[in-house]
Amino acid sequence: MNKHKMITEKGVPSNSRVLMLFGQLEKLNRESMLVDPEIARQITAKILHLIQTQEKTRKEIVSKGSSGMEVILATLENTQDLQSILNILYILNELLTVGGGRRIGVFVSKGGTGILLQLVISASKESPPSEEVMLQLHSVLAKVGPKDRKFGVKARLNGALNVTVNLLKQNLQNHKLLLPCLLVLQVYSSNTVNAVSLGKNGVVELMFKIIGPYSKKNTSLLKVSLDTLGALLKSKTNAQRAVVHVPVLLYIYQDWHRNDTRHRHILIRKGILGCLKNITNIKLGRKAFIDADGMRILYNTSTECLPVRTLDPLINTSSLIMRKCFPKNRLPLPTIKSVFHHQLLHVPAGGPVAQLYNQPLGRGPIYQFYTKPPWVDDVVDESDNNEDAEAENDMENEVEEKDHHVGNDDIETDINKLRPKETQSRPFEELKIYERFFMELSEDFQVFNFDNPKKGVTATPAAPKSHRPIIVPTAQTLPPKNPTAAPLQGECPHPAPVPALDLDTINITKDQDGCGDHTHSRPHPGAGLEQELVQGLERVALDGAGPQVGGGGGGNKHKRQPPILAGCVAARLGGEGEMLAEDWAEEEESSEEGVLHVPDTALLLPLHDPNLYVEMVKSTSSVPQFSEVAYPDYFGHVAPTSREHILERVYGVQRTKIFQDIERLIHPKDILDKVVYDLDIQSCPVVDGGESLKFNSQFESGNLRKAVQVRKFEYDLVLNSDINSNHYHQWFYFEVSGMRVGAPYRFNIINCEKSNSQFNYGMQVLMYSVQEAISGRPRWVRTGTDICYYKNHFSRSSIAAGGQKGKSYYTMTFSMTFNHKDDVCYFAYHYPYTYSTLKMHLQKLEALRNPQTYLREDVLCETLGGNSCPLLTITAMPESTSNDQICQFRNRPMVFLSSRVHPGETNASWVMKGTLEFLMGSSPLAHSLREAYIFKIVPMLNPDGVVNGNHRCSLSGEDLNRQWQNPSPELHPTIYHTKSLLQYLAAIQRAPLVFCDYHGHSRKKNVFMYGCSLKETVWETSISATSCELHEDLGYRTLPKILSQMAPAFSMASCSFVVERSKEATARVVVWREIGVQRSYTMESTLCGCDQGKYKGLQIGTRELEEMGAQFCVALLRLKRLTSPLKLRNHAHLLDVDSDLMETRCKVSSTPSRYLLEDEEASFMEEVDYSAESGDEPDNDPNTADPHDNHLSDSESNNHRDSLT
């Protein structure tokens, strides 16, 4: 006999006994088993003995290069001897039990699965089938199945599926055989087609014959049965079959809960909940669960489990089921459209705005401009209640059986679209009208007095302030004869300087209900109201006018009223009776003059002036015609000196909040459901007894639509949609008063839309206390405890969800304890920065400029709402009128900056404030920077959105940062004219060296940049391109690299330079592609805080944001040195950068930038046990990507698992 040669791994002797036995077995296989079968029995028995007694033998068989597994499978396939088959099955069970992962992989790769399944068919034809063979076969299959991706397909195609089912039905009392059959059935069910087929064969009903109430016997069998049933019920068809068994499952769960007092069978209890979870995925299942009193049962059992930490898996799954079955409610609104409406003179032919104008009419006079029939409900429509039946296809799903590699379909793959355009899209004659905004390029300064610059600064023609908007001829119409007739072509009214109002003339108005219907209370004798006025005011009329009378939601139907300070303290202390307007003057003459104590913040806030702010408010136009000024905007904000750490997440906080929500359904009598603030109602309900908080949002940038008191200290808050829109709920800014000291208030913002938020990762809301402000601490502070963000039971209409059905809103909840009696507090999503604040800052900056600074403020255009869009030009004055100086002045490279295209991203304005203050500063660095560049700055691209409290859109109802490709001068004037400025610069060969649009990011930490790179975009795709096609200057990475080295909040790791299709109409991509600016960026600043660098673990504040704006300026100066080192040789001592620290062209790292998928806001996934608490399951959203996919970082995956299902 020739001994078979076998290659074994190093260290294992090749002449071992088991190898000899395999050689003999292989020889028998070649002889087709014609010899006595007793020989095969003996050989296989000896191999089995060696495997059972020697671990080394197992390693030899499955070692790399060994043919032992092939010999075993060949013998199993060829032999007909029952004992030999059993011996081999015993061998396989031994081999695959220990170290199964790699060994099973070897077994599958050798074709072992098919051989076993064929043996199942052969054994089933025996009469009767051998019980031991079936037992061992299914034991091996149960181990192999989970590792073979095509296991279910193979079993269905060769008929083994039905064999296992029949075996199961015939052996319900044979627990020994039942267990491996159930394990195999569980693997079969992982294939959707198999699960449907098994359901048709009655396997679902069969499972309910196996499972039962509490018993100490056969617990392993029960556990496997529940897991198998759970796998079957993932099919909606099977779930429908199991709906009738929901009461049985609830009874069984209660029984196990009562009797498993030592918690030894948690897996069985979890298995029962798993079955309920899958059944309740369908509408019929949820109804059956509610009808069987499932909410109360799971709520009570979960409450009893709370003290035991090891039972958290049961609590989480129960919570998931209850949230899912909680009846879907409509938002407590008459319509999802904004309370306020701005009539557009030009309605686009298509898109969301056109759809909105064709939607049904809302309730009330404010909806008079809409044209849809009043019987259509846009809050919850029929599509939300219809559930599409699952299409169960018995045909093979090829996609399911193939390896999936999640890719980004949004990445641009057309190389031609990744190249800058070589031709201008507009003729130069059309762009020449923008020459007036670039006077510095032709100014000769002949009339400027350089000998006495202070005298000539205000008179220099180089820095005039333009008050006229630009005239824009269009292709459809001839140039108008009367420019003032068209909205975008007339005179832009610029407010004349108004003397600051003396606070001594301030009159006091007292608002009793704080809801917008302003009634005035006469002080009760002895009440001491006048003595309390130094602590705050109820309503302060800034022009001495009488009290305002008007509703809270009347929007544009009410006559504009003078600004009055919003919110206060004194009148909320008490008072009876009413005061008429004609009685007001008499009262003022006889009463003691009220004095508003304004904190003296002039030294700390050089750019803030309360009186000047009020004057700016008077010239600001708003759709609701706001007549109030919020205290924080009036007093100003001084950044706190102490650091505000990212809030550590309390374990179980989300679960606790959800259980409190579930209690609303279980104990409905405890719910007040009392409306205390509502902009949809002309006059808010009068709150009696002082048992409720008072709310207000009727001031610039304010956003709160409705407040409902649900419990004594708990309020549901509803945000207003962006004007001319039916969604975008994220920004909030509102006033609260009438609080009790020490009471644990809970606030729930119930109509959030994003699937995740930094509120889950340590971000806190901002609060401004008037009591603190008048005590000398005027500042916004991070506050709130028990903060979390989760999916709620309020359903989103498919109208608002872009046609998607079954979507829900999210709740952002926080708890708050107030420290001051009769305080007035303001809450905001982020540090507010209003349009009036910008105008005040610009006026103060102009007053503070030095003679060496060239500053010109132009009015770029007028917005749809009648507000002016400022355009700033900042550079250094030339040292003289010599040709060299004037030439150097005119030829300075351009830097173009913009900000606040999204109103809710207020942090962008704070960064811009830091940039402007640095540019206008007197430091040597600032002077060098002004000498190096000409800055063109549009500090607020969306004034209307900011003024009216929008989060994302302008008054056109559109995201302006998606209009850059083809902006409309009628609908998007600020974008149209800003792009025109850039096109003009490109036409005269003066395209900016750097373009940067400042933004805020709601779901990532740190500050970072998005840029544009042909090469890095191609790297992220599967397209092939030659090196010539990918030739690209890598200078686009220089500026972010500089920032990462000097700005502590900046993170280079978070930057991305990939171009996505969904971003092709954004400023960054259009300026890069159409204007040809290589360094075209979006700079994103976190709304939360930092997880790296100097500020790691801290929430970001205005000080850090302004510092970021200043650091950006310094980085530009360093960029100038790197691109033109000889130009700034005289200022090298100011730069403090080692020459070897940065190269002009930074090398691209070996790891390409990761890309983003959604909007400008990628989802964020951190090391927080978020999914464990909520019992998350991946949702079925096709846009959802696995956050752990190798192609996406955690912080940049398109969508993490939904926090609630």
Side-chain angles (χ1 to χ4, degrees), residues 10 98 125 307 372 578 695 759 808 851 1072:
K10 186 177 180 181
V98 181
K125 296 178 180 178
K372 63 182 183 178
E578 295 183 353
F695 294 84
F759 285 117
S808 295
W1072 172 70

Side-chain angles (χ1 to χ4, degrees), residues 67-141:
S67 60
M69 185 65 75
E70 295 175 356
V71 174
I72 292 174
L73 293 176
T75 305
L76 183 63
E77 188 175 19
N78 295 329
T79 186
Q80 302 295 322
D81 181 60
L82 180 61
Q83 189 58 50
S84 297
I85 291 174
L86 284 173
N87 287 344
I88 294 175
L89 291 175
Y90 293 143
I91 291 171
L92 291 174
N93 261 316
E94 291 288 340
L95 283 174
L96 303 180
T97 298
V98 181
R102 192 180 69 83
R103 295 179 182 181
I104 293 174
V106 173
F107 177 85
V108 172
S109 66
K110 304 295 184 182
T113 305
I115 295 173
L116 289 180
L117 292 173
Q118 188 58 45
L119 190 58
V120 169
I121 299 297
S122 302
S124 67
K125 296 178 180 178
E126 299 291 332
S127 184
S130 170
E131 180 180 321
E132 185 64 20
V133 170
M134 286 296 189
L135 175 64
Q136 295 302 321
L137 266 174
H138 283 82
S139 297
V140 178
L141 285 171

Side-chain angles (χ1 to χ4, degrees), residues 918-931:
F918 184 90
L919 281 174
M920 295 299 296
S922 58
S923 68
L925 277 175
H927 182 69
S928 297
L929 185 63
R930 292 192 295 267
E931 286 185 330

Side-chain angles (χ1 to χ4, degrees), residues 514 539 566-567 628 677 694-699 733-735:
R539 292 287 186 267
E628 300 173 15
Y677 181 73
K694 300 175 185 178
F695 294 84
N696 181 34
S697 61
Q698 292 278 49
F699 45 80
Y733 183 18
F734 57 88
E735 168 202 313

